[in-house]
Amino acid sequence: MDLLHDAHALAPVLTALRHSLHREPELGLDLPLTQAKVIAALDGLGLEITPGRALSSVTAVLRGGSPGPALSRGGHPGQAAPRGGPTRPAVLLRGDMDALPVQEGTGVPYASVVDGRMHACGHDLHTAGLVGAAHLLAARREQLAGDVVFMFQPGEEGQGGAKIMIDEGVLDAAGERVVAAYALHVVSRGAPTGYAATRPGPMLAASDTVHVTVRGEGGHGSSPHAAVDPVPALCAMVTALQTLVTREIDIFDPAVVTVGRLEAGTAPNVIPGSGRFSATVRTFSDASRATVRAAFERTVHGLAAAHGVRADIDYVHQYPPTVNHDGEAAFALGTARDVLGEDRVFPAPTPMAGSEDFSFVLREVPGAFLGLGACPAGTDPATAPMNHSPQAVYDDGALPHAAALLAGLALRRLALTAQE
């Protein structure tokens, strides 16, 4: 609990940083202002800082001072080290930094000054919380039985910034592949400030986007027999895709197919030559993901043939499911209880259908992804505006909890590795 006590002492600094980030949100992979603010906030901590090459990321390494197990370059404790000498175990902590193309409607004093941009998903809290964890761990450098990699990541909102940072070497930034990785995500709805949850196995869904264009032959609305109308085919496809989910997908490995855009025609008496729809697909396992794709494509092409039209499908795999490692999820729950308090931590009963590109990290190394409540006091967590809403408000009071939890995960995980 001393971590949380010290994190509360950092609250004014972390709040000021969070408000600065919130006022000037940046989108995608290029976040120069945000990158500069993060580097400035880490100044004086004695970290090894490396800016990204293909994106405005920040990778910072804290070298611990406590004796820990030497890892060979092959990554196994106790092996004889080849030329180049042994390295120490490292743990990775991630905070994403990008905002959303949303016009802010909160009315808070630190609201975005950039039209059409807002930190509507709370990434400003993630960034400031990770800075806080760096301060807490730097003050405990001599207790660290290894090193900590701080991953400040752009481009989580659809650009796959985590994958780019992995390609640039963030998992090996300390000299050896990290033994574990952790991240958290604040929620403006569903949990009071400072309450945390996670679970073993799937935590978040895979996210895929599908664009379908149906091509027929246009004509006059009075003479459909003289045209090839794509509109009935579009309608049949949308309806059949809903049936597909209920008839072909295991209810214990669920899927969601939502058609969010449907477009055809320009006038009520004109049969268009083409129409299109776009859908999002959410699944919780690689097997379900493959099943849905095959069934989706089969359904669309089959109905196109039945209606005498052609269908072009652009099926875009975005993020895989975020799957926590069983042991790391149990460890994270135990650590959260010790850091935040026994009554503030609970196992998440089900996964969430949102998606996260931290999934790419968890495909490479063991780790866990946690949720953290940030619903302001006096607001009903059951009805508050949710993440991505223009009215979403996040409680600054969550910042010490985020900083302490992240720091505790790194500190305890390295200590555990030293005991193995």
Side-chain angles (χ1 to χ4, degrees):
M1 297 296 288
D2 63 321
L3 277 171
L4 189 57
H5 176 272
D6 291 354
H8 278 295
L10 290 172
V13 173
L14 301 183
T15 299
L17 173 60
R18 186 251 163 155
H19 288 186
S20 176
L21 295 169
H22 195 94
R23 287 190 190 97
E24 298 182 291
E26 296 178 292
L27 305 180
L29 299 171
D30 188 22
L31 317 177
L33 288 175
T34 304
Q35 182 188 54
K37 290 175 183 180
V38 167
I39 291 174
L42 299 175
D43 186 46
L45 298 183
L47 307 182
E48 301 168 11
I49 295 176
T50 305
R53 299 186 297 276
L55 72 176
S56 299
S57 62
V58 178
T59 299
V61 178
L62 172 64
R63 302 293 182 183
S66 176
L71 295 180
S72 76
R73 295 290 173 182
H76 302 290
Q79 281 189 351
R83 186 165 52 190
T87 60
R88 288 153 50 85
V91 167
L92 181 141
L93 305 175
R94 198 284 308 256
D96 40 358
M97 306 191 294
D98 55 321
L100 284 161
V102 172
Q103 183 64 42
E104 182 155 1
T106 64
V108 296
Y110 51 89
S112 170
V113 298
V114 184
D115 283 344
R117 298 181 183 181
M118 176 189 172
H119 269 294
C121 202
H123 294 187
D124 49 339
L125 281 84
H126 302 170
T127 303
L130 186 56
V131 166
H135 280 260
L136 293 171
L137 290 171
R140 292 163 170 77
R141 186 188 308 268
E142 297 308 314
Q143 300 175 33
L144 285 171
D147 305 325
V148 183
V149 178
F150 301 94
M151 177 183 177
F152 292 92
Q153 180 212 312
E156 190 282 322
E157 296 288 354
Q159 296 80 29
K163 181 67 166 62
I164 299 172
M165 289 191 72
I166 291 170
D167 292 342
E168 291 194 351
V170 68
L171 300 182
D172 307 296
E176 190 69 44
R177 178 133 302 197
V178 296
V179 296
Y182 307 99
L184 58 79
H185 205 301
V186 294
V187 291
S188 60
R189 178 178 182 172
T193 294
Y195 282 72
T198 192
R199 68 189 308 276
M203 182 68 179
L204 294 165
S207 175
D208 299 321
T209 298
V210 193
H211 304 285
V212 177
T213 302
V214 176
R215 306 183 192 280
E217 294 180 15
H220 199 285
S222 66
S223 305
H225 63 282
V228 180
D229 192 346
V231 175
L234 284 168
C235 296
M237 290 170 186
V238 172
T239 301
L241 289 172
Q242 304 311 305
T243 304
L244 176 159
V245 171
T246 65
R247 299 297 90 186
E248 297 195 39
I249 304 303
D250 184 347
I251 62 170
F252 297 106
D253 189 7
V256 175
V257 177
T258 296
V259 176
R261 183 178 182 185
L262 180 64
E263 181 181 359
T266 57
N269 64 341
V270 175
I271 293 174
S274 66
R276 59 192 62 84
F277 69 88
S278 297
T280 185
V281 178
R282 305 299 170 110
T283 49
F284 294 93
S285 70
D286 291 343
S288 179
R289 195 181 197 190
T291 297
V292 172
R293 176 168 185 166
F296 191 112
E297 293 176 340
R298 186 193 70 240
T299 298
V300 167
H301 286 307
L303 285 167
H307 284 263
V309 296
R310 304 185 315 277
D312 298 325
I313 303 175
D314 181 18
Y315 205 110
V316 183
H317 278 190
Q318 293 182 309
Y319 295 165
T322 303
V323 181
N324 287 336
H325 295 244
D326 290 357
E328 296 296 346
F331 164 77
L333 281 169
T335 298
R337 291 187 180 105
D338 287 345
V339 172
L340 303 180
E342 184 74 30
D343 60 339
R344 287 177 169 264
V345 180
F346 57 93
T350 61
M352 295 182 290
S355 62
E356 243 285 349
D357 76 345
F358 192 65
S359 54
F360 291 113
V361 174
L362 294 182
R363 292 213 153 193
E364 298 289 333
V365 297
F369 187 85
L370 303 92
L372 180 68
C375 184
T379 303
D380 184 356
T383 60
M386 65 189 304
N387 292 41
H388 286 220
S389 167
Q391 284 76 42
V393 176
Y394 299 87
D395 187 1
D396 290 329
L399 290 169
H401 297 91
L405 178 54
L406 289 169
L409 288 166
L411 193 65
R412 289 169 60 101
R413 186 62 178 82
L414 288 172
L416 185 64
T417 301
Q419 297 169 10
E420 293 175 348

